[in-house]
Amino acid sequence: MNVRERQDIRVGYEEMPAVSSEPLTEEDIKKWQKARTIGAVMEIHDTIDSTNNRAKELAKQGVPHGFLVAANRQTSGRGRLGRSFFSPEGMGVYISYVLRLPVPVEKMLLVTPLAAVAVARAIEETADEQVKIKWVNDLFLHDKKVCGILCEASPEICDGRPSYLVLGIGVNVAPVTFPPELKDIATSIGNECKKPVSRNRLIAEISNQLEGLLSRLEPADFMGEYRLRSNVIGRRVRVLSGSVSFEALVRDIDDEGRLVVEKDREVLRLSSGEISIRW
Ligand code: BTN
């Protein structure tokens, strides 16, 4: 079974023990927060279907750039390609930001790699563990996925670009026994590091890092760090692009965030798709 097939298996949320870590509170998040716009205004839910769904509703109502929605648990946490995101109570950081960026559409496409670098730095800051990035939106600790990112654009276009983006981030934080379908491919910070990590602090660090990097979207100098953190450059991978699947060698990731692969001596630049690696 490849990674894609395994991640497609849906997980029964109720099967997991509801062991909560410290409660999520605005007061505790703000203790660590330096960012002034990203996460400056927030809404915290105990249970919600999906923080991305709520952030979209709020964006349509006109909330400001940087508005943060956080939840202790999601009942329908969503991942890319219609997958579910495992979001049990008190175990992770499940957050979404409303972003209103006055930049061209090509730059908006860089928000996912930018967020990957921001969250990698935030995890390292709080957990002292090296974080790797699997193109395009997954963060890895010790060869297992610890975080996923889902960036969605508004269908409404204003001045030739989506009027807002919703940036959703899910990090597995507390030590957890994953269900059999996920245990070989997913991990949490708590499963990999001895040091306990505060979810409130991690949310604040993510906001701090995002604010710093978003101010440097043009030029996108974070792409150098994205490449350094990549766990796919130089490796043979299986590429899944729409209904097409093929093996290729990853040569690079370019400044536009595209995966540069070599297949049968031909060089291809992929702006979307999925890759699986055999470790
Ligand atoms: C992926 O792994 O494909 C992306 C997962 C993104 C999960 C986060 S959790 C917070 C936000 N709300 C959602 O429903 N999804 C994102």
Side-chain angles (χ1 to χ4, degrees), residues 84-258:
S84 58
F85 187 80
F86 181 57
S87 317
E89 181 183 354
M91 298 302 207
V93 157
Y94 318 120
I95 52 174
S96 302
Y97 297 92
V98 174
L99 302 180
R100 301 183 191 276
L101 300 169
V103 297
V105 178
E106 323 72 89
K107 290 289 171 190
M108 286 190 173
L109 296 174
L110 289 173
V111 169
T112 297
L114 178 150
V117 170
V119 181
R121 287 184 185 178
I123 294 175
E124 284 181 3
E125 186 79 21
T126 48
D128 294 337
E129 281 291 331
Q130 206 192 22
V131 179
K132 294 286 191 184
I133 302 173
K134 175 173 165 277
W135 184 85
V136 54
N137 66 324
D138 290 339
L139 299 190
F140 275 58
L141 265 182
H142 302 163
D143 291 348
K144 287 186 181 178
K145 176 167 168 172
V146 71
C147 164
I149 295 167
L150 177 66
C151 187
E152 300 179 294
S154 107
E156 299 103 58
I157 303 295
C158 185
D159 293 334
R161 58 179 174 246
S163 51
Y164 61 83
L165 297 177
V166 165
L167 173 63
I169 297 166
V171 189
N172 305 322
V173 178
V176 61
T177 307
F178 284 95
E181 299 83 10
L182 293 176
K183 76 174 176 40
D184 292 337
I185 53 172
T187 193
S188 70
I189 299 174
N191 286 11
E192 303 298 324
C193 329
K194 299 227 161 54
K195 195 174 153 189
V197 166
S198 149
R199 291 181 304 157
N200 291 306
R201 179 175 174 201
L202 184 58
I203 292 172
E205 297 290 355
I206 292 171
S207 298
N208 295 344
Q209 291 294 343
L210 276 175
E211 183 159 296
L213 288 175
L214 281 167
S215 67
R216 289 187 284 132
L217 194 51
E218 293 178 289
D221 48 9
F222 58 85
M223 284 307 298
E225 182 173 339
Y226 185 94
R227 282 187 280 272
L228 281 176
R229 290 183 180 276
S230 169
N231 59 9
V232 300
I233 293 175
R235 304 181 80 140
R236 287 205 76 78
V237 296
R238 175 151 288 275
V239 178
L240 302 149
S241 185
S243 56
V244 184
S245 157
F246 57 89
E247 280 216 1
L249 174 67
V250 179
R251 285 278 180 218
D252 204 357
I253 296 166
D254 68 18
D255 281 350
E256 280 73 49
R258 294 174 300 191

